[in-house]
Structures are given as structure tokens and as C-alpha cells.
Amino acid sequence: MLELKNLEAYYGNSRALQGVNLTLETGKFLAVLGRNGVGKTTLFKAILGLMDRCGGEIALSGKRLDPLPTFKRAHAGLGYVPQGRGIIPTFTVRENLKLGTFARSGGDKHSYDDLVFEIFPVLGEFLDRQGGNLSGGQQQQLAIGRALLTNPKIILLDEPTEGIQPNIVEQIEEAIIKLNKAHGITIILVEQDIEFARRASDSFVIMEKGRVVAEGPVKNLTDNLMHKHMAV
């Protein structure tokens, strides 16, 4: 469903991704792991077309995305929840959610509108509250809800539990798992919580210095492997 071939990405003249190859089937859940600064967020930005320069190929459901601008990649089915959530604090919950609908493809008849409020009922309660007045956990729910309203085939989640109060973390984790297991949305997750990655994902990749250095089914994500590639 998603295929990356020899993907490279640059900040100016500095190469941040070096020949990344990756294949992810429809409906699967992939965890992208590694220390800080190894290229995980850069990988997402390259898939979305947000880098200065990229090389290689990106295909979603057999359609080449790498020649396309970001908004057309969204129309093709990419949803994104950035690190830090990226909501607009002066917009209401309703207005932030509406932004997600702008990324829908005109021919896409499917909609997750009802699902957003089923999974995150607090958003329905706070539709007229400004995003900046929500708690961190509520803002993260809003960011995921906005991504759902793009009607994505695949959602890229960049550290969705970072900075969230502990009593909300489990709720957000269970919502992400439900989107994948119950509703068939393909997920790529960047996450520092290894136990969540093990519990939620089908497969993993570990990155170092812009490269994939280990990958496989999640059952192969051993403590020894984590110590080798993620211990400080």
C-alpha cells in the first residue's frame, strides 16, 4: 500500500535521509523507533513533501506521490498528526476540525465525521471552545480528530503521547489502536514508549543517522535490540 524506494531527503545541502526502503501493507501498524535526531520526523516530512529536496520514490496504493505537492498527497490519502499537535490555538474546536475537511479528495464519499465524536466525545462537548484553552490531552485528541476528517488511508502519528497527562495517555493509545484494528486505518507511529509500540504495532523499523538499521515483525523487537539502538 505504501512503498518507499531509496528515499533521500535534504535540509539545504545536508542529507538527512539516506536510502530508506520501506513497504507497509494496507491496514497494518508500523512503529518507527530510534533515538532523538536520527531522522524519524524527517521521514514523515519527506513522505508528506515538506522537505527542501528529496530523491527516490514514494507510492501510495500504486500511485506515485513524490512528484506531487503536499495538498495532493493529502488528497491521495495521507493524514498527519505532527509532533506538538499543530492545532491553531485561536480557532475553536469546530474550526480546527473543519481544517481537516479541506484536505479531502472531492471524489471521496467516505467520511469519519461520526467516528471522531464516538472516539473523542470531549470534542463534541467543547466545539465552541478555543483550541488554546484545551488541556494537552484534549489538544492531542483534536489533532487526531482533525487528521481523521481528511478521510485518510494512512495516518502518520509523530509521538502522540509526548507531554500528555498520564490519565489521558491510555485513552489516546486505545483510540489509536481502535482506529487501526476496528476501522482498518493504516498507521505509522513514531513513539518513544516501547511498550505501547510493542502492544499496538504489527511491525517496526529502527533508524540511525537517517537509515533503517533494523526492521521486522514486532515479535522480533527484543530488549537486546532496543538496548543496542536506543540506549543513551
Side-chain angles (χ1 to χ4, degrees):
M1 180 220 186
L2 178 70
E3 187 173 17
L4 312 181
K5 293 183 179 179
N6 197 30
L7 184 63
E8 298 190 341
Y10 296 81
Y11 293 103
N13 292 323
S14 176
R15 187 167 63 168
L17 291 182
Q18 305 185 48
V20 173
N21 293 287
L22 186 153
T23 301
L24 182 61
E25 296 179 5
T26 300
K28 296 299 184 180
F29 195 128
L30 172 70
V32 180
L33 308 170
R35 300 181 182 92
N36 290 333
V38 298
K40 304 185 299 294
T41 296
T42 299
L43 176 65
F44 278 5
K45 290 183 176 180
I47 293 171
L48 293 159
L50 298 173
M51 295 297 294
D52 293 345
R53 179 164 54 98
C54 287
E57 297 182 9
I58 305 168
L60 180 63
S61 301
K63 179 181 180 180
R64 285 280 298 273
L65 298 187
D66 47 279
L68 302 180
T70 297
F71 77 94
K72 289 190 176 181
R73 300 186 193 200
H75 286 173
L78 294 181
Y80 180 41
V81 180
Q83 189 176 24
R85 299 178 277 278
I87 67 163
I88 299 178
T90 57
F91 278 23
T92 65
V93 168
R94 189 192 312 274
E95 290 166 337
N96 271 283
L97 289 173
K98 190 173 181 179
L99 291 175
T101 68
F102 297 154
R104 294 177 181 174
S105 172
D108 190 348
K109 303 301 183 185
H110 186 65
S111 173
Y112 290 111
D113 295 47
D114 294 336
L115 181 60
V116 169
F117 299 113
E118 174 192 328
I119 294 182
F120 301 124
V122 70
L123 299 181
E125 298 169 14
F126 292 159
L127 278 173
D128 296 315
R129 182 173 296 188
Q130 286 190 336
N133 293 331
L134 301 179
S135 70
Q138 291 164 350
Q139 289 181 4
Q140 188 62 274
Q141 293 175 65
L142 176 55
I144 297 171
R146 180 183 58 192
L148 266 178
L149 290 180
T150 69
N151 291 348
K153 296 176 181 176
I154 181 169
I155 297 180
L156 314 178
L157 292 149
D158 197 347
E159 299 200 27
T161 63
E162 182 184 35
I164 304 300
Q165 55 270 42
N167 63 317
I168 303 297
V169 167
E170 184 176 353
Q171 181 181 348
I172 290 174
E173 290 178 350
E174 292 305 318
I176 292 168
I177 292 171
K178 183 176 182 179
L179 292 177
N180 175 247
K181 306 304 182 189
H183 298 282
I185 299 174
T186 309
I187 300 286
I188 303 181
L189 171 78
V190 166
E191 183 56 72
Q192 295 294 333
D193 184 342
I194 304 306
E195 292 312 310
F196 174 41
R198 283 173 167 155
R199 182 162 58 94
S201 62
D202 302 301
S203 59
F204 73 94
V205 298
I206 298 176
M207 297 186 67
E208 284 186 7
K209 298 180 180 178
R211 299 179 183 273
V212 172
V213 294
E215 60 185 310
V218 75
K219 67 181 181 180
N220 294 345
L221 185 57
T222 64
D223 290 341
N224 286 340
L225 193 62
M226 296 309 305
H227 181 77
K228 177 180 179 181
H229 295 291
M230 292 192 67
V232 178

